[in-house]
Amino acid sequence: MTGHTSEVIELSFPLPRALDTRIYAHLTIREKSIVVFVTTSTTDDLSTPPSMGSFKFNPNQPISTPIYTQESNLEFATRIAKLLARKTQLPTYVGSSLNLSNMGMGGTPEEEMEAFKKVIDVILSKTQHILKPSDATSVANGPSS
């Protein structure tokens, strides 16, 4: 990308282990940053907008800054922001209002990790063109420690 262009991608994919819940993602890739908003919605609550959730900034450094917090999804937003910033080498803003309570067992830690992996896999597949070659090969292996 050159100049002040941005690429906007809107996605929808099923929440793992949930029958009627989908994850909606809005991804904006700019020359010098990435902005991601993720939320969930069931077929029953399409008419009701979700809460704002947490909004997190990670400048591709060891620290990340919460801009707006909602405790129920702050950690999820933090992990997405840190991983995307590391993989893309770009400052990353992440807004998350995911509700994992509709998963099979109500959003256990295992289910949360499965949802996290699904979100990251889908977003990284859409950002392949900006990943560094060494990062692109490790996408399938997940985050490294």
Side-chain angles (χ1 to χ4, degrees):
M1 281 179 272
T2 59
H4 297 286
T5 62
S6 64
E7 178 182 358
V8 176
I9 302 168
E10 293 182 344
L11 308 162
S12 170
F13 47 95
L15 178 66
R17 299 186 194 189
L19 295 176
D20 64 345
T21 304
R22 298 190 64 78
I23 297 173
Y24 295 89
H26 180 98
L27 173 64
T28 303
I29 304 169
R30 298 196 172 164
E31 185 177 352
K32 296 185 180 185
S33 68
I34 294 178
V35 180
V36 178
F37 292 98
V38 291
T39 190
T40 50
S41 183
T42 65
T43 53
D44 296 337
D45 59 341
L46 286 176
S47 62
T48 309
S51 65
M52 180 175 170
S54 296
F55 191 62
K56 195 77 172 174
F57 170 64
N58 190 319
N60 195 22
Q61 311 248 331
I63 3 179
S64 61
T65 305
I67 297 172
Y68 179 84
T69 62
Q70 184 176 20
E71 286 302 315
S72 63
N73 52 38
L74 178 61
E75 181 62 29
F76 201 90
T78 301
R79 286 187 285 147
I80 292 172
K82 286 183 175 184
L83 184 64
L84 289 178
R86 190 177 77 231
K87 294 283 188 186
T88 62
Q89 299 296 304
L90 292 171
T92 304
Y93 299 85
V94 174
S96 173
S97 59
L98 287 175
N99 179 354
L100 304 179
S101 65
N102 289 335
M103 295 184 84
M105 295 188 293
T108 64
E110 293 81 14
E111 289 176 326
E112 185 176 331
M113 285 306 298
E114 191 174 340
F116 176 78
K117 184 179 180 337
K118 179 72 172 180
V119 168
I120 290 298
D121 287 347
V122 169
I123 291 174
L124 287 179
S125 73
K126 299 299 180 184
T127 59
Q128 287 293 326
H129 60 288
I130 62 171
L131 295 177
K132 301 216 181 276
S134 62
D135 291 335
T137 58
S138 65
V139 168
N141 299 330
S144 60
S145 298

